């Protein structure tokens, strides 16, 4: 029983690490999304100033940058949705493992208490049997 509890505890640790990894991935994706928004704002600010907006080459480059940023944002959105789904699944699995480990530990404790009770009863019955034998031997001698 203890071996199973130990195995479940190990699986719980792995599950916790998976949850942590998913959380880190979400944070990294959020950081990348913020970075893309900042890049987009810089391009739009440069366009809004109008200094270089008169040059066709600048406008083409800005449009290409905005298109690339938009594509990267779409990819990040898809990736974030997948990671978030996995993170939610990992958290649910973690909760299941925590409950299972708690049940196993409770069962181990009960089993240990039962073994201890049986041991105490055996000792008590053994002492009573010895006392009974001593009593019989004393009464037979009289």
């Amino acid at each position: 029983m203890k071996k199973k509890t130990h195995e479940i505890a190990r699986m719980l640790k792995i599950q916790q690490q998976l949850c942590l990894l998913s959380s880190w991935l979400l944070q990294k994706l959020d950081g990348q999304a913020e970075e893309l928004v900042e890049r987009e704002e810089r391009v739009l600010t440069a366009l809004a100033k109008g200094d270089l907006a008169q040059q066709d080459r600048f406008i083409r480059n800005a449009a290409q940058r905005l298109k690339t940023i938009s594509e990267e944002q779409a990819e990040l959105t898809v990736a974030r949705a997948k990671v978030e789904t996995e993170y939610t699944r990992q958290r649910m699995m973690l909760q299941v493992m925590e409950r299972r480990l708690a049940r196993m530990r409770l069962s181990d404790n009960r089993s240990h208490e039962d073994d201890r009770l049986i041991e105490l009863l055996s000792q008590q019955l053994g002492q009573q049997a010895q006392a009974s034998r001593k009593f019989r031997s004393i009464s037979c001698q009289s």
Side-chain angles (χ1 to χ4, degrees), residues 48-138:
K49 286 184 180 177
D51 300 345
L52 301 173
Q54 307 304 328
Q55 299 177 8
D56 287 340
R57 195 170 100 194
F58 175 76
I59 293 173
R60 275 195 307 272
N61 286 343
Q64 183 58 40
R65 284 183 186 159
L66 289 173
K67 181 179 175 187
T68 302
I69 291 170
S70 178
E71 290 169 353
E72 289 176 15
Q73 285 174 329
E75 290 172 5
L76 274 176
T77 301
V78 170
R80 190 178 194 300
K82 287 179 181 178
V83 171
E84 191 167 12
T85 299
E86 182 62 20
Y87 177 64
T88 301
R89 190 179 75 77
Q90 293 296 336
R91 281 189 16 238
M92 288 174 29
M93 291 287 293
L94 179 62
Q95 291 171 349
V96 167
M97 294 299 293
E98 287 171 341
R99 286 192 300 266
R100 185 170 180 197
L101 181 59
R103 284 193 308 268
M104 290 296 289
R105 285 183 175 158
L106 181 64
S107 177
D108 283 352
N109 288 341
R110 285 182 183 158
S111 176
H112 178 70
E113 289 173 2
D114 289 348
D115 291 346
R116 182 70 181 132
L117 180 60
I118 290 170
E119 183 182 319
L120 289 173
L121 288 173
S122 296
Q123 288 175 356
Q124 187 66 28
L125 289 174
Q127 289 173 357
Q128 287 177 354
Q130 273 185 337
S132 174
R133 277 189 236 121
K134 284 182 182 178
F135 180 73
R136 282 191 206 132
S137 68
I138 293 173

Side-chain angles (χ1 to χ4, degrees), residues 1-31:
M1 206 58 145
K2 288 234 183 227
K3 186 176 180 180
K4 286 183 181 180
T5 303
H6 178 70
E7 289 174 7
I8 291 172
R10 280 185 39 222
M11 292 186 331
L12 178 66
K13 285 182 181 180
I14 292 169
Q15 197 66 46
Q16 289 170 332
Q17 290 173 346
L18 288 172
C19 270
L20 187 60
L21 178 64
S22 294
S23 174
W24 288 344
L25 284 173
L26 283 174
Q27 290 174 3
K28 183 176 180 179
L29 290 172
D30 288 343

